[in-house]
Amino acid sequence: MSNVPGPPGAWGAPGPSRLPPGHVDVAALARLRARRPGAVAEAAARRRRRPLLGDSGRLMIIAADHPARGALRVGADPLAMADRADLLERLCLALSRPGVDGVLGTADVLEDLLLLGALEDKVVVGSMNRGGLAGAAFETDDRFTGYRAQDLAAASFDAGKLLLRVDYADPGPGSAATLLSAARAVDAMAAHRLPVFVEPFICRREADGRLRSDLSAAAVVRSITIASGLGGTSAYTWLKVPVTRDPEEMARVMAASTLPAVLLGGEVGDDQEGTYEKWRGALRLPTVQGLVAGRSLLYPADGDVAKAVDTAVGLL
């Protein structure tokens, strides 16, 4: 990777938001974290903020909260996201592209990006529940092990995101506990007047024990109606919605709620152009305000992160 911001030379002193091209200096990041942990709060306090929606009225967010759930696979590589320096370089490159509004991540990733000066004038979305580890027997018991509403407010971040997977056959506490904690998180975010992106799925256990998301139109509609009704107010709730297996049904799916929504990018797979076409169609729907994509843009099949990001921005 190349053409990405490097870490500020002064480490903690105010500096430019974009620095000369260079690789992420992991040793410098580790030294700073060890010697000056307060630099994280200092960087957050001086970060230049912007409105959630800019002049275009659309959102393009890069997602990077997968590692905290142990979900490191991209395609055939089970540890594609395991190299933190490589991930940070890809993120810095993506965030530097025109039309990219911000990033979604857990504290470890977002704080690295803060220290790298890569979050100036960007929307910063904190990932809240990562306790449902990928492949675990307790995957639907998705505890809030990441950001709390008060953490996001203290860091002057712009929004939060929570994952809501509901398995109707789950005997508990799994899905039931997650529903309750998600509702309380919606309330807490609203109390701080912070938007929260709710990413709902109807899931089921397959014979191999894996948790699978149902992307049929009926299942996505049901998940949207459940997510829309969480908490004591929906004033600050956004939806983060996958494109259904049949993209022609997305209009009926998105008619299930008046809440603003962004599309979940998911993995592109082999048919990259086909995926982009599905996104393009869904982005025309009236409640859809933008796109949140991660692995599909950070780890494209051809390796060209800038091209993948620019193509996604063009769909908006």
Side-chain angles (χ1 to χ4, degrees):
M1 299 290 297
S2 59
N3 297 323
V4 298
W11 288 112
S17 61
R18 290 293 178 267
L19 297 155
H23 291 282
V24 169
D25 188 341
V26 173
L29 275 173
R31 283 196 305 271
L32 178 63
R33 282 180 167 278
R35 298 173 184 177
R36 287 195 53 216
V40 170
E42 294 166 12
R46 67 170 180 269
R47 181 179 71 91
R48 290 196 307 274
R49 298 184 64 183
R50 48 152 282 180
L52 182 67
L53 289 175
D55 294 338
S56 70
R58 307 287 264 173
L59 269 178
M60 177 70 234
I61 302 292
I62 306 296
D65 60 340
H66 312 79
R69 207 170 61 80
L72 303 171
R73 177 180 294 276
V74 179
D77 186 350
L79 296 175
M81 298 187 77
D83 187 321
R84 183 51 56 90
D86 178 63
L87 173 60
L88 291 172
E89 289 180 356
R90 291 170 184 269
L91 282 166
C92 288
L93 176 56
L95 286 165
S96 73
R97 304 305 298 173
V100 173
D101 294 290
V103 63
L104 159 65
T106 48
D108 56 330
V109 174
L110 295 184
E111 289 170 357
D112 279 344
L113 293 171
L114 267 176
L115 296 173
L116 291 167
L119 299 184
E120 302 301 311
D121 299 309
K122 297 296 182 184
V123 171
V124 183
V125 183
S127 190
M128 303 178 76
N129 60 327
R130 299 278 84 189
L133 303 183
F138 52 85
E139 192 167 351
T140 57
D141 191 354
D142 214 341
R143 303 297 178 97
F144 281 70
T145 57
Y147 280 109
R148 301 166 299 172
Q150 60 263 44
D151 301 323
L152 295 169
S156 296
F157 287 166
D158 305 294
K161 171 255 180 176
L162 64 89
L163 179 60
L164 178 67
R165 291 172 296 180
V166 177
D167 180 356
Y168 275 65
D170 188 348
S175 293
T178 301
L179 274 166
L180 179 59
S181 55
R184 298 293 77 84
V186 168
D187 290 337
M189 292 294 284
H192 286 280
R193 299 184 179 180
L194 284 171
V196 58
F197 293 82
V198 181
E199 181 181 339
F201 292 97
I202 302 298
C203 301
R204 64 176 181 274
R205 289 282 180 186
E206 300 286 8
D208 61 5
R210 293 185 181 181
L211 193 67
R212 307 279 186 181
S213 297
D214 187 344
L215 297 184
S216 67
V220 179
V221 164
R222 197 158 67 246
S223 72
I224 286 174
T225 58
I226 292 167
S228 298
L230 290 175
T233 178
S234 62
Y236 293 90
T237 303
W238 287 56
L239 300 172
K240 186 168 177 269
V241 183
V243 177
T244 54
R245 283 199 302 264
D246 182 355
E248 298 300 320
E249 296 182 309
M250 278 302 289
R252 180 163 68 94
V253 166
M254 297 311 299
S257 177
T258 59
L259 297 182
V262 292
L263 299 180
L264 164 66
E267 291 199 59
V268 168
D270 296 330
D271 186 10
Q272 197 164 357
E273 292 304 318
T275 299
Y276 290 153
E277 191 57 37
K278 290 179 182 179
W279 292 352
R280 182 179 289 108
L283 284 164
R284 298 191 183 108
L285 298 173
T287 61
V288 178
Q289 310 294 310
L291 175 67
V292 178
R295 289 175 288 189
S296 56
L297 303 184
L298 293 172
Y299 299 87
D302 62 4
D304 192 336
V305 175
K307 177 185 174 184
V309 171
D310 292 348
T311 300
V313 169
L315 300 178
L316 299 177

